[in-house]
Coordinates of all heavy atoms in Angstrom, one line a residue:
M162 N -30.8 -37.0 -14.8 CA -30.2 -35.7 -14.5 C -28.9 -36.0 -13.8 O -28.7 -36.9 -13.1 CB -31.1 -34.9 -13.5 CG -30.8 -33.6 -13.2 SD -32.2 -32.8 -12.7 CE -31.7 -31.2 -12.8
A163 N -27.9 -35.1 -14.1 CA -26.6 -35.2 -13.4 C -26.7 -35.0 -11.9 O -27.2 -33.9 -11.5 CB -25.6 -34.2 -14.0
K164 N -26.3 -35.9 -11.1 CA -26.4 -35.8 -9.7 C -25.1 -35.9 -9.0 O -24.8 -35.2 -8.0 CB -27.5 -36.8 -9.2 CG -28.8 -36.5 -9.6 CD -29.8 -37.5 -9.0 CE -31.1 -37.4 -9.5 NZ -32.0 -38.5 -9.2
D165 N -24.3 -37.0 -9.4 CA -23.1 -37.4 -8.6 C -21.8 -36.6 -9.0 O -21.1 -36.3 -8.2 CB -23.0 -38.9 -8.7 CG -24.1 -39.6 -8.2 OD1 -24.8 -39.1 -7.3 OD2 -24.5 -40.7 -8.8
N166 N -21.6 -36.4 -10.3 CA -20.4 -35.7 -10.6 C -20.6 -35.1 -12.1 O -21.5 -35.4 -12.8 CB -19.2 -36.7 -10.7 CG -19.3 -37.7 -11.7 OD1 -19.3 -37.4 -13.0 ND2 -19.4 -39.0 -11.3
P167 N -19.6 -34.1 -12.5 CA -19.9 -33.5 -13.7 C -19.9 -34.3 -14.9 O -20.4 -34.1 -15.9 CB -18.7 -32.5 -13.7 CG -18.2 -32.4 -12.3 CD -18.5 -33.6 -11.7
G168 N -19.3 -35.6 -14.8 CA -19.3 -36.5 -15.9 C -20.6 -37.1 -16.2 O -20.8 -37.6 -17.3
D169 N -21.5 -37.0 -15.3 CA -22.9 -37.5 -15.5 C -23.6 -36.7 -16.7 O -24.6 -37.2 -17.2 CB -23.8 -37.4 -14.3 CG -23.3 -38.3 -13.3 OD1 -22.6 -39.3 -13.6 OD2 -23.8 -38.2 -12.0
I170 N -23.0 -35.6 -17.1 CA -23.7 -34.7 -18.0 C -24.1 -35.5 -19.3 O -25.1 -35.2 -19.9 CB -23.0 -33.4 -18.3 CG1 -23.8 -32.3 -18.9 CG2 -21.7 -33.7 -19.1 CD1 -23.3 -31.0 -19.0
L171 N -23.3 -36.4 -19.7 CA -23.5 -37.1 -21.0 C -24.0 -38.5 -20.9 O -24.3 -39.2 -21.8 CB -22.3 -37.0 -22.0 CG -22.0 -35.7 -22.7 CD1 -20.8 -35.8 -23.5 CD2 -23.2 -35.2 -23.5
T172 N -24.1 -38.9 -19.6 CA -24.5 -40.3 -19.4 C -25.8 -40.3 -18.6 O -26.6 -41.3 -18.7 CB -23.5 -41.0 -18.6 OG1 -23.2 -40.5 -17.4 CG2 -22.2 -41.2 -19.4
C173 N -26.1 -39.2 -17.9 CA -27.4 -39.3 -17.2 C -28.4 -38.3 -17.7 O -29.6 -38.5 -17.6 CB -27.1 -39.0 -15.7 SG -26.2 -40.2 -14.8
D174 N -28.0 -37.2 -18.3 CA -28.9 -36.2 -18.8 C -29.4 -36.7 -20.2 O -28.7 -37.6 -20.8 CB -28.2 -34.9 -19.0 CG -28.0 -34.1 -17.7 OD1 -28.4 -34.7 -16.7 OD2 -27.4 -33.1 -17.7
W175 N -30.5 -36.3 -20.6 CA -31.0 -36.7 -21.9 C -30.4 -35.8 -23.0 O -31.0 -34.7 -23.1 CB -32.5 -36.7 -21.9 CG -33.1 -37.4 -23.1 CD1 -33.0 -38.6 -23.5 CD2 -33.9 -36.6 -24.2 NE1 -33.7 -38.9 -24.7 CE2 -34.2 -37.7 -25.1 CE3 -34.3 -35.4 -24.3 CZ2 -34.9 -37.4 -26.2 CZ3 -35.0 -35.1 -25.4 CH2 -35.3 -36.1 -26.3
N176 N -29.5 -36.3 -23.6 CA -28.8 -35.4 -24.7 C -28.9 -36.2 -26.0 O -28.0 -37.0 -26.3 CB -27.3 -35.2 -24.4 CG -27.2 -34.1 -23.2 OD1 -27.8 -33.1 -23.2 ND2 -26.4 -34.5 -22.2
P177 N -30.0 -36.2 -26.8 CA -30.1 -37.0 -28.0 C -29.1 -36.5 -29.1 O -29.0 -37.2 -30.0 CB -31.5 -37.0 -28.3 CG -32.0 -35.6 -27.7 CD -31.1 -35.4 -26.5
V178 N -28.8 -35.1 -29.1 CA -28.0 -34.6 -30.2 C -26.8 -33.9 -29.6 O -27.0 -33.2 -28.5 CB -28.8 -33.6 -31.0 CG1 -27.9 -33.0 -32.1 CG2 -30.1 -34.2 -31.5
I179 N -25.6 -34.1 -30.1 CA -24.4 -33.4 -29.7 C -23.7 -32.8 -30.9 O -24.1 -33.0 -32.1 CB -23.4 -34.3 -29.0 CG1 -23.0 -35.5 -29.9 CG2 -23.9 -34.9 -27.7 CD1 -21.8 -36.3 -29.4
G180 N -22.8 -31.9 -30.7 CA -22.1 -31.2 -31.6 C -22.3 -29.7 -31.7 O -23.4 -29.3 -31.4
C181 N -21.3 -29.0 -31.9 CA -21.5 -27.6 -32.0 C -20.3 -27.0 -32.8 O -19.2 -27.6 -33.0 CB -21.5 -26.9 -30.6 SG -22.3 -25.4 -30.6
Q182 N -20.4 -25.8 -33.2 CA -19.3 -25.0 -34.0 C -19.1 -23.7 -33.3 O -20.0 -23.1 -32.7 CB -19.7 -24.8 -35.3 CG -19.8 -26.1 -36.1 CD -20.0 -25.9 -37.6 OE1 -20.2 -24.7 -38.0 NE2 -20.0 -26.9 -38.4
R183 N -17.8 -23.2 -33.3 CA -17.5 -22.0 -32.8 C -17.9 -20.9 -33.7 O -17.4 -20.8 -34.8 CB -15.9 -21.9 -32.5 CG -15.4 -22.9 -31.5 CD -13.9 -22.9 -31.4 NE -13.3 -24.1 -31.0 CZ -13.1 -24.4 -29.8 NH1 -13.3 -23.5 -28.8 NH2 -12.5 -25.6 -29.4
F184 N -18.8 -20.0 -33.3 CA -19.3 -19.0 -34.1 C -19.0 -17.6 -33.6 O -19.1 -16.6 -34.3 CB -20.8 -19.2 -34.2 CG -21.3 -20.2 -35.2 CD1 -21.9 -21.3 -34.8 CD2 -21.0 -20.1 -36.5 CE1 -22.2 -22.3 -35.6 CE2 -21.3 -21.0 -37.4 CZ -21.9 -22.1 -37.0
S185 N -18.6 -17.5 -32.4 CA -18.3 -16.2 -31.8 C -17.1 -16.2 -30.9 O -16.5 -17.3 -30.6 CB -19.5 -15.7 -31.1 OG -19.5 -16.3 -29.8
A186 N -16.7 -15.0 -30.5 CA -15.5 -14.9 -29.7 C -15.7 -15.6 -28.3 O -14.7 -16.1 -27.7 CB -15.1 -13.5 -29.5
A187 N -17.0 -15.6 -27.9 CA -17.3 -16.3 -26.7 C -17.1 -17.8 -26.7 O -17.0 -18.5 -25.7 CB -18.7 -16.0 -26.3
C188 N -16.9 -18.4 -27.9 CA -16.7 -19.8 -28.1 C -15.3 -20.2 -28.1 O -14.9 -21.3 -28.1 CB -17.2 -20.3 -29.4 SG -19.1 -20.1 -29.6
R189 N -14.4 -19.2 -28.0 CA -13.0 -19.4 -28.1 C -12.5 -20.4 -26.9 O -11.6 -21.3 -27.3 CB -12.2 -18.1 -27.9 CG -10.8 -18.3 -28.3 CD -10.0 -17.0 -28.4 NE -11.0 -15.8 -28.3 CZ -10.7 -14.7 -27.8 NH1 -9.6 -14.4 -27.4 NH2 -11.6 -13.8 -27.7
K190 N -12.9 -20.3 -25.8 CA -12.6 -21.3 -24.8 C -13.7 -22.1 -24.3 O -14.1 -22.3 -23.1 CB -12.0 -20.5 -23.5 CG -10.8 -19.8 -23.9 CD -10.1 -19.1 -22.6 CE -8.8 -18.4 -23.0 NZ -8.3 -17.8 -21.8
C191 N -14.4 -22.8 -25.3 CA -15.6 -23.6 -25.0 C -15.4 -24.7 -24.1 O -14.5 -25.6 -24.5 CB -16.1 -24.0 -26.4 SG -17.5 -25.2 -26.2
W192 N -16.0 -24.9 -23.1 CA -15.8 -26.0 -22.2 C -16.2 -27.3 -22.8 O -15.7 -28.3 -22.5 CB -16.5 -25.8 -20.8 CG -18.0 -25.7 -21.0 CD1 -18.7 -24.7 -21.3 CD2 -18.9 -26.8 -20.8 NE1 -20.1 -25.0 -21.4 CE2 -20.2 -26.3 -21.1 CE3 -18.8 -28.1 -20.5 CZ2 -21.3 -27.1 -21.1 CZ3 -19.9 -28.9 -20.4 CH2 -21.1 -28.4 -20.7
Y193 N -17.2 -27.2 -23.6 CA -17.8 -28.5 -24.2 C -16.8 -29.0 -25.2 O -16.4 -30.2 -25.2 CB -19.1 -28.1 -24.8 CG -19.6 -29.3 -25.8 CD1 -20.0 -30.5 -25.3 CD2 -19.6 -29.0 -27.2 CE1 -20.4 -31.5 -26.1 CE2 -19.9 -30.1 -28.0 CZ -20.3 -31.3 -27.5 OH -20.7 -32.3 -28.4
L194 N -16.4 -28.2 -26.3 CA -15.5 -28.6 -27.4 C -14.1 -29.0 -26.9 O -13.5 -29.9 -27.3 CB -15.5 -27.5 -28.5 CG -16.7 -27.3 -29.3 CD1 -16.5 -26.2 -30.3 CD2 -17.2 -28.6 -29.9
D195 N -13.6 -28.2 -25.9 CA -12.2 -28.5 -25.4 C -12.1 -29.5 -24.3 O -11.1 -30.1 -24.1 CB -11.6 -27.1 -25.0 CG -11.5 -26.2 -26.2 OD1 -11.5 -26.6 -27.3 OD2 -11.4 -24.9 -25.8
G196 N -13.2 -29.6 -23.5 CA -13.1 -30.4 -22.4 C -14.1 -31.6 -22.3 O -13.6 -32.7 -22.4
I197 N -15.3 -31.4 -22.3 CA -16.3 -32.5 -22.2 C -16.3 -33.4 -23.4 O -16.3 -34.6 -23.3 CB -17.8 -31.8 -22.0 CG1 -17.8 -31.0 -20.8 CG2 -18.7 -32.9 -22.0 CD1 -17.6 -31.7 -19.5
F198 N -16.3 -32.8 -24.6 CA -16.4 -33.8 -25.7 C -15.2 -34.7 -25.8 O -15.4 -35.9 -25.9 CB -16.5 -32.9 -27.1 CG -16.7 -33.7 -28.2 CD1 -18.0 -34.0 -28.7 CD2 -15.7 -34.5 -28.9 CE1 -18.2 -34.9 -29.9 CE2 -15.9 -35.2 -30.0 CZ -17.1 -35.5 -30.5
P199 N -13.9 -34.2 -25.9 CA -12.8 -35.2 -25.9 C -12.8 -36.2 -24.8 O -12.5 -37.4 -24.9 CB -11.6 -34.4 -25.9 CG -12.1 -33.0 -25.6 CD -13.5 -32.9 -25.8
W200 N -13.2 -35.7 -23.6 CA -13.2 -36.5 -22.4 C -14.2 -37.7 -22.5 O -13.9 -38.8 -22.3 CB -13.5 -35.7 -21.2 CG -13.6 -36.4 -19.9 CD1 -12.9 -37.5 -19.4 CD2 -14.6 -36.1 -18.9 NE1 -13.4 -37.8 -18.2 CE2 -14.4 -37.0 -17.9 CE3 -15.7 -35.2 -18.7 CZ2 -15.2 -37.0 -16.7 CZ3 -16.5 -35.2 -17.6 CH2 -16.2 -36.1 -16.6
Q201 N -15.4 -37.3 -23.0 CA -16.5 -38.3 -23.1 C -16.2 -39.3 -24.3 O -16.5 -40.4 -24.2 CB -17.8 -37.7 -23.3 CG -18.4 -37.0 -22.0 CD -18.6 -38.0 -21.0 OE1 -19.1 -39.0 -21.1 NE2 -18.2 -37.6 -19.7
Q202 N -15.4 -38.9 -25.3 CA -15.1 -39.7 -26.4 C -14.1 -40.7 -25.9 O -14.1 -41.9 -26.2 CB -14.5 -38.8 -27.6 CG -14.6 -39.5 -28.9 CD -14.5 -38.7 -30.0 OE1 -13.7 -37.7 -30.0 NE2 -15.3 -38.8 -31.0
R203 N -13.1 -40.2 -25.0 CA -12.1 -41.2 -24.6 C -12.8 -42.2 -23.6 O -12.4 -43.4 -23.6 CB -11.1 -40.4 -23.7 CG -10.1 -39.7 -24.5 CD -8.9 -39.3 -23.7 NE -9.1 -38.5 -22.5 CZ -9.3 -37.1 -22.7 NH1 -9.1 -36.5 -23.8 NH2 -9.7 -36.3 -21.5
L204 N -13.9 -41.9 -23.0 CA -14.6 -42.8 -22.0 C -15.4 -43.7 -22.9 O -16.0 -44.7 -22.4 CB -15.4 -42.1 -21.0 CG -14.8 -41.2 -20.0 CD1 -15.8 -40.5 -19.2 CD2 -14.0 -42.1 -19.2
G205 N -15.6 -43.4 -24.2 CA -16.5 -44.3 -25.0 C -17.9 -43.9 -25.1 O -18.7 -44.7 -25.6
N206 N -18.3 -42.8 -24.4 CA -19.7 -42.3 -24.5 C -20.1 -41.7 -25.8 O -21.2 -41.6 -26.0 CB -19.9 -41.4 -23.2 CG -19.8 -42.2 -22.0 OD1 -20.1 -43.4 -21.9 ND2 -19.3 -41.4 -21.0
I207 N -19.1 -41.3 -26.5 CA -19.3 -40.7 -27.8 C -18.5 -41.5 -28.9 O -17.3 -41.7 -28.6 CB -18.8 -39.3 -27.9 CG1 -19.7 -38.4 -26.9 CG2 -19.1 -38.7 -29.3 CD1 -19.2 -37.0 -26.7
P208 N -19.1 -42.1 -29.9 CA -18.3 -43.0 -30.9 C -17.0 -42.2 -31.4 O -17.1 -40.9 -31.7 CB -19.3 -43.1 -32.0 CG -20.6 -43.0 -31.3 CD -20.5 -42.0 -30.3
A209 N -16.1 -42.9 -31.7 CA -14.8 -42.3 -32.1 C -14.8 -41.6 -33.5 O -14.1 -40.7 -33.7 CB -13.7 -43.5 -32.2
Q210 N -15.7 -42.1 -34.3 CA -15.8 -41.4 -35.6 C -16.5 -40.0 -35.5 O -16.5 -39.3 -36.5 CB -16.5 -42.3 -36.6 CG -18.0 -42.4 -36.5 CD -18.4 -43.5 -35.5 OE1 -17.7 -43.9 -34.7 NE2 -19.6 -44.0 -35.7
V211 N -17.2 -39.7 -34.4 CA -18.0 -38.4 -34.4 C -17.0 -37.3 -34.2 O -16.1 -37.3 -33.3 CB -18.9 -38.4 -33.2 CG1 -19.7 -37.2 -33.0 CG2 -19.9 -39.6 -33.4
R212 N -17.1 -36.2 -35.0 CA -16.4 -35.0 -34.8 C -17.0 -34.0 -34.0 O -18.4 -33.9 -34.2 CB -16.0 -34.3 -36.3 CG -15.4 -35.4 -37.2 CD -13.8 -35.5 -37.1 NE -13.4 -35.9 -35.8 CZ -13.0 -37.2 -35.5 NH1 -13.1 -38.1 -36.4 NH2 -12.6 -37.5 -34.3
P213 N -16.4 -33.2 -33.2 CA -17.2 -32.3 -32.2 C -17.9 -31.2 -32.9 O -18.9 -30.7 -32.5 CB -16.1 -31.7 -31.3 CG -14.8 -32.0 -32.1 CD -15.0 -33.2 -33.0
N214 N -17.5 -30.9 -34.2 CA -18.2 -29.7 -34.9 C -19.3 -30.2 -35.8 O -19.8 -29.5 -36.6 CB -17.2 -28.9 -35.6 CG -16.5 -29.7 -36.8 OD1 -16.5 -30.9 -36.7 ND2 -15.9 -29.1 -37.7
E215 N -19.7 -31.5 -35.8 CA -20.7 -32.1 -36.5 C -21.9 -32.5 -35.7 O -21.7 -33.0 -34.6 CB -20.3 -33.3 -37.3 CG -19.2 -32.9 -38.3 CD -18.6 -34.2 -38.9 OE1 -19.0 -35.4 -38.4 OE2 -17.8 -34.1 -39.8
A216 N -23.1 -32.2 -36.1 CA -24.3 -32.7 -35.3 C -24.4 -34.2 -35.3 O -24.2 -34.8 -36.4 CB -25.6 -32.1 -35.9
W217 N -24.6 -34.8 -34.3 CA -24.6 -36.2 -34.1 C -25.9 -36.6 -33.4 O -26.1 -36.2 -32.3 CB -23.4 -36.8 -33.5 CG -23.5 -38.3 -33.3 CD1 -23.9 -38.9 -32.2 CD2 -23.2 -39.3 -34.2 NE1 -23.9 -40.3 -32.3 CE2 -23.4 -40.6 -33.5 CE3 -22.6 -39.3 -35.5 CZ2 -23.1 -41.8 -34.1 CZ3 -22.5 -40.6 -36.1 CH2 -22.6 -41.8 -35.5
V218 N -26.7 -37.5 -33.9 CA -28.0 -37.9 -33.3 C -27.8 -39.3 -32.7 O -27.4 -40.2 -33.4 CB -29.1 -37.8 -34.3 CG1 -30.4 -38.3 -33.5 CG2 -29.3 -36.4 -34.8
F219 N -28.0 -39.4 -31.4 CA -28.1 -40.7 -30.8 C -29.4 -41.3 -31.0 O -30.4 -41.1 -30.2 CB -27.7 -40.7 -29.3 CG -26.3 -40.3 -29.0 CD1 -25.9 -38.9 -28.9 CD2 -25.4 -41.2 -28.8 CE1 -24.7 -38.6 -28.5 CE2 -24.0 -40.9 -28.4 CZ -23.7 -39.5 -28.3
E220 N -29.5 -42.1 -32.1 CA -30.8 -42.7 -32.5 C -31.5 -43.5 -31.3 O -32.7 -43.5 -31.1 CB -30.7 -43.5 -33.7 CG -30.3 -42.8 -34.9 CD -31.3 -41.9 -35.5 OE1 -32.5 -42.0 -35.1 OE2 -31.0 -40.9 -36.2
K221 N -30.6 -44.3 -30.6 CA -31.1 -45.0 -29.5 C -31.8 -44.3 -28.4 O -32.7 -44.7 -27.9 CB -30.0 -45.8 -28.9 CG -30.3 -47.1 -28.3 CD -29.0 -47.9 -28.0 CE -29.2 -48.9 -26.9 NZ -27.9 -49.6 -26.6
R222 N -31.2 -43.1 -28.2 CA -31.8 -42.1 -27.2 C -33.1 -41.5 -27.6 O -33.9 -40.9 -26.8 CB -30.9 -41.0 -26.9 CG -29.6 -41.6 -26.2 CD -28.7 -40.5 -25.9 NE -27.4 -40.9 -25.3 CZ -26.3 -40.3 -25.0 NH1 -26.3 -38.9 -25.2 NH2 -25.2 -40.8 -24.6
M223 N -33.4 -41.6 -28.9 CA -34.7 -40.8 -29.4 C -35.9 -41.9 -29.2 O -37.0 -41.4 -29.3 CB -34.6 -40.6 -30.9 CG -33.4 -39.6 -31.1 SD -33.7 -38.0 -30.4 CE -34.9 -37.3 -31.6
K224 N -35.7 -43.2 -28.9 CA -36.8 -44.1 -28.7 C -37.3 -44.0 -27.2 O -36.5 -43.9 -26.3 CB -36.3 -45.5 -29.1 CG -35.9 -45.6 -30.5 CD -35.3 -47.0 -30.8 CE -34.9 -47.1 -32.2 NZ -34.0 -48.1 -32.5
V225 N -38.6 -44.1 -27.2 CA -39.3 -44.1 -25.9 C -39.5 -45.5 -25.4 O -39.9 -46.3 -26.2 CB -40.6 -43.4 -26.0 CG1 -41.3 -43.4 -24.6 CG2 -40.4 -41.9 -26.5
E226 N -39.1 -45.8 -24.2 CA -39.1 -47.1 -23.7 C -40.3 -47.1 -22.7 O -40.5 -46.1 -21.8 CB -37.9 -47.5 -23.0 CG -36.7 -47.6 -23.9 CD -35.4 -48.1 -23.2 OE1 -35.5 -48.5 -22.0 OE2 -34.4 -48.0 -23.8
A227 N -41.1 -48.2 -22.8 CA -42.2 -48.3 -22.0 C -41.7 -48.6 -20.5 O -40.8 -49.3 -20.3 CB -43.2 -49.5 -22.4
L228 N -42.5 -48.1 -19.6 CA -42.1 -48.3 -18.1 C -42.6 -49.6 -17.7 O -43.6 -50.1 -18.0 CB -42.6 -47.2 -17.3 CG -42.0 -45.8 -17.6 CD1 -42.7 -44.7 -16.8 CD2 -40.5 -45.7 -17.4
Ligands
SF4_429 S1 -21.1 -25.1 -27.0 FE1 -19.2 -24.0 -27.2 S2 -18.9 -23.7 -29.4 FE2 -21.1 -24.2 -29.1 S3 -22.1 -22.2 -28.7 FE3 -21.6 -23.0 -26.8 S4 -19.5 -22.1 -26.4 FE4 -19.9 -21.9 -28.6

């Protein structure tokens, strides 16, 4: 869960799938597509080949690890 700063949203929260498309007027200034996605891609948390409007599954995050 994100605790320390807004950047934790894609590194601490469990987000196995990313990607979205603008479907309505409310999406015009999407904080995710315009801000979070490119920022996290620059940080290397999202692979460079992933496009923001395509669904991307982080296969590694889908695996359950034993405690
Ligand atoms: S994440 Fe952005 S593009 Fe997707 S539904 Fe929400 S506002 Fe729209």
Side-chain angles (χ1 to χ4, degrees):
M162 187 160 199
K164 293 178 182 171
D165 299 327
N166 66 66
D169 289 346
I170 194 168
L171 285 181
T172 58
C173 294
D174 286 359
W175 189 66
N176 290 310
V178 181
I179 59 169
C181 202
Q182 293 184 354
R183 297 176 205 267
F184 281 111
S185 73
C188 299
R189 195 171 349 153
K190 295 184 177 179
C191 173
W192 65 275
Y193 167 73
L194 292 179
D195 295 341
I197 299 296
F198 187 95
W200 175 42
Q201 289 296 319
Q202 203 163 42
R203 282 194 303 276
L204 291 175
N206 295 325
I207 299 173
Q210 74 271 22
V211 178
R212 304 278 61 95
N214 62 343
E215 298 171 352
W217 175 267
V218 178
F219 290 90
E220 296 291 341
K221 207 170 161 183
R222 295 180 185 176
M223 299 297 279
K224 295 179 182 156
V225 177
E226 295 180 14
L228 296 176

